[in-house]
Amino acid sequence: MITAIYPGSFDPVTNGHLDIIKRSAKTFDKVIVAIAQNPNKTPMFTIEERMDFLKRVINGLPNVEVDHFDGLLVDYVKEKDAHVIIKGLRAISDFEYEFQMALMNRKLDSDIETLFMMTSYKYSFLSSSMMKEVGKLGGCIAELVPDAILPDVLKRLKSV
Ligand code: ADP
């Protein structure tokens, strides 16, 4: 049984994330979408809100779970008895940082593999931060965010 961990901020989950989640769920026995608590980032949504959004959008995918963690990703991966980390790649600009992280994680634990999944073409420009920026300025985000959470995201963007 192969369990893969898909870590990220998911602030909030976008259709780009959801695409990677669905494709990972077809590839691995179990996928845990794990929200990383990054003390260097100030999120728009709390951990609880981000967990709730993720749970709503993975509804119907029986082998996907949602969780959160703090501390080192490799420690969390071991705790879950997993060996695979999934990362999405959108553009060459993602590559350098992800390459460095993957090598650092391998140095920390050589049993853990980082596997990269290419973005789908139609989401290659999409990040949570870009979506929030556009939404705050009144641009249409309907195709960028899953329908199940769109009203809540729009409400928050209007209030900031
Ligand atoms: P962001 O705030 O940039 O959307 P996250 O930290 O939530 O990023 O991203 C978590 C993971 O999802 C990362 O591996 C990131 O590369 C990947 N990801 C984010 N958006 C997309 C997308 N549109 N297509 C593919 N992968 C993505």
Side-chain angles (χ1 to χ4, degrees), residues 26-78:
K26 282 193 210 157
T27 313
F28 299 98
D29 299 304
K30 181 171 159 186
V31 176
I32 303 176
V33 184
I35 302 174
Q37 310 207 36
N38 185 343
N40 301 321
K41 281 190 187 172
T42 313
M44 173 171 274
F45 296 95
T46 64
I47 292 277
E48 291 71 27
E49 287 171 319
R50 286 180 272 163
M51 294 267 296
D52 171 58
F53 287 169
L54 275 163
K55 283 182 186 158
R56 278 195 250 160
V57 307
I58 61 155
N59 190 17
L61 297 171
N63 60 336
V64 180
E65 280 175 21
V66 179
D67 195 10
H68 62 91
F69 70 99
D70 46 26
L72 279 179
L73 174 60
V74 290
D75 290 340
Y76 175 76
V77 174
K78 266 186 282 186

Side-chain angles (χ1 to χ4, degrees), residues 6-10 14 16-17 20 41 87-90 94 98 119 123 126-129:
Y6 177 38
S9 311
F10 305 104
T14 66
H17 295 130
I20 298 283
K41 281 190 187 172
K87 288 298 189 102
L89 278 186
R90 280 161 292 200
D94 277 346
E98 294 293 354
T119 181
Y123 301 126
L126 176 57
S127 66
S128 294
S129 48

Side-chain angles (χ1 to χ4, degrees), residues 2-6 24 28-33 82-86:
I2 301 184
T3 300
I5 307 290
Y6 177 38
S24 302
F28 299 98
D29 299 304
K30 181 171 159 186
V31 176
I32 303 176
V33 184
H83 301 275
V84 176
I85 297 170
I86 303 290

Side-chain angles (χ1 to χ4, degrees), residues 97-115:
Y97 177 71
E98 294 293 354
F99 180 60
Q100 198 181 0
M101 282 275 278
L103 294 190
M104 177 57 89
N105 282 333
R106 188 178 313 141
K107 190 204 166 336
L108 293 170
D109 190 326
S110 56
D111 286 337
I112 297 174
E113 280 300 335
T114 304
L115 298 183

